[in-house]
Amino acid sequence: MPDTAPEGLGGLAFGGDYNPEQWPEDVWSEDVRLMREAGVTLVSIGIFSWALLEPEPGRYDFGRLDRIVALLHENGIRIDLGTPTVAPPAWFYRAHPEALPVSREGMRYAFGSRGAICHSSTAYRTAAAAITEQLVRRYGSHPALALWHVHNEYGVPVSACYCENCAAHFRRWLSTTYETVDGVNEAWGTAFWGQSYGSLEEIEPPRATPTVCNPAHLLDYARFADATMRENFVRERDILHRLSPGIPVTTNFMTALSQCDSVDYWAWGREVDLVTNDHYLITDGRRTQVNLAMTADLTRSVAGGAPWLLLEHSTSGVSWQPRNPAKAPGQMARNSLAHVARGSDGAMFFQWRQSRRGAEKFHSSMLPHAGTDSRVWREVVRLGADLDSLAPLRGTRTVADAAMLWDWQSWWAQRLEWRPSEDHDARERADSFYEALYDRHLTIDFAHPEADLSAYPLVVVPALYLASEATGRNLRTYVENGGTLVVSYFSGIVDEHDAVHPGAYPGVLRDVLGLTVEEFSPLGEGERVRITAADGSELTGDVWSEFVVPRGAETLWTYADGLAAGQPAITRHRLGRGTAWYISTRLAPGALDTVLGPAAEDAGLAPRTDLPRDVEVVRRSGESGEYVFVVNHTGTDTKVPLPGHGTELLTGERAAGRLALPAGAVGVVRLDS
């Protein structure tokens, strides 16, 4: 993917969603004055404005938006202009109630929220194209326009609809994908339980059934729902490209595994001109900075390593979790700059001015209810100045140390019903492996299982239940050519149709791992197993165990108890010039490090014993220079060694081989050339 930045920005983007339609016009001039005071450079507008822009079918009113655009332009603030197609007006649904989505259980959702859309609806597609064309013809060449923003957070809150329109659309999708009903029967294995179809017309969406539905049917419907949303994005994108050439088009992703699970972002990343992301801290008691770093790394990877843009996050608390704590002093800037360290060319928020009404009136904002005499406002102004000082690193790329494989479609398949254990969770494994790598101070790229991995000395596979034959060949070639691979249990099991690969587990990964698995032996709730090494070291696993048979791999750790007692638990296989490790039970992040440590040594990645826990060191590099971000998430002052001398950009002070950083602070050093 080429680097495509918002048009006309000279530095990093700073700003947020601006919804002036919620306020009387006499507030707008104050908004813009305060935006200039805070250093705002870009705002997103119009995202929820369809009912105002088209108050009746075919009657458009752009007067208010004209005045907003003019005011922002006069004050040097650039615009990310939304197509408002996430929230069709009430009149649209009154005329087209069939455009409201239907749940799997047959309930039709009602108007009164957002994102209530059947993406197969012809009426919706026609109306969305019409409002998009009206917008682009009016504003497509406006000098303030920096970016087009299609829809909003596809897949949230509804991705799949199960209505009759979708049934007909699904049959067309199956015809394109498999050509014939025989192709569908073969792919879905419909001979099981007598589910064979005589024609495509007999196939319905996988609505609620008395017991479990055909898993391949469910998996293909998830693919269909994702592809249908993407069709609608592409339709709007192509209108914008045709009538507003040169202005990049995006839609805001939600790549965090904690926030959206119905979108294949590898596919979506290929369709946008600029990858943008929304990220919100999940206050579930875990270290929130780890989820933030993981999401930023994943977003950058979806962008092909190119700079991306954090289009939404929060200045403080949100409004939609069971408990919504405020961010601590300094945390907003630390969160923002951690995203920048990992590839974002800016930091944007939802939203500019805190709403007085509606569902998100308690969601924090850049300008809070408390006004400018508030901690949040003072931190916003300070962050604007800090981002301005970081303008030289715009366009540089984050440097990764290792890679983790992730595939959304494999995640979808693994979550289908009747798997060996409901306690095994692909997201949990990804989180845990990432946390263990984070604690080794490694910067991680994510990669699709069939991607070129030759640039990475270490590749980790936390959960890859669905793996194609091409994936198996790819990983074998990677190891044979000198790579180090670490694979977790229940990976390589099925093909793209959820059919078990012929022969013993782990399917397409048997050869690269040098072993077979005769049988899974999931553990009971709360049950644990001990595994031991030759030197007497002991670790504890839970959730899962297996009967592993080495076929060239050496046994490093052995089950000490449980049904698999005496059998291999962790193995290492030398293949060609590389090595492949296998972990057959669930280990917590701390225990995982016991395996990842020697695997990292195999890969030539030396441990960073000079860095405290929860202090991040991340590099960005490009034509403008080499930059080192140091993010101190701890409550203790620290001194961090640097790979050379340079200038700390947030203070202007020199850093001679070491950076002293206060508790909770961020430093950005531009190394001397």
Side-chain angles (χ1 to χ4, degrees), residues 449-450 467-475 508:
E450 296 179 15
S468 66
E469 291 185 4
T471 293
R473 292 191 297 270
N474 190 40
L475 294 183
V508 296

Side-chain angles (χ1 to χ4, degrees), residues 257-259 282 284 286 291 294 406 411 414 425-432 463:
L257 305 186
S258 54
Q259 290 176 251
I282 302 300
D284 58 1
R286 289 186 278 187
N291 177 270
M294 180 177 179
W406 180 255
W411 189 21
Q414 187 189 289
D425 180 351
R427 179 197 155 192
E428 183 279 329
R429 283 293 78 194
D431 286 347
S432 292

Side-chain angles (χ1 to χ4, degrees), residues 334 630-639 659-667:
R334 191 165 64 252
V630 183
V631 186
N632 185 359
H633 294 286
T634 77
T636 305
D637 296 351
T638 189
K639 292 183 179 180
L659 180 67
L661 202 61
V666 179

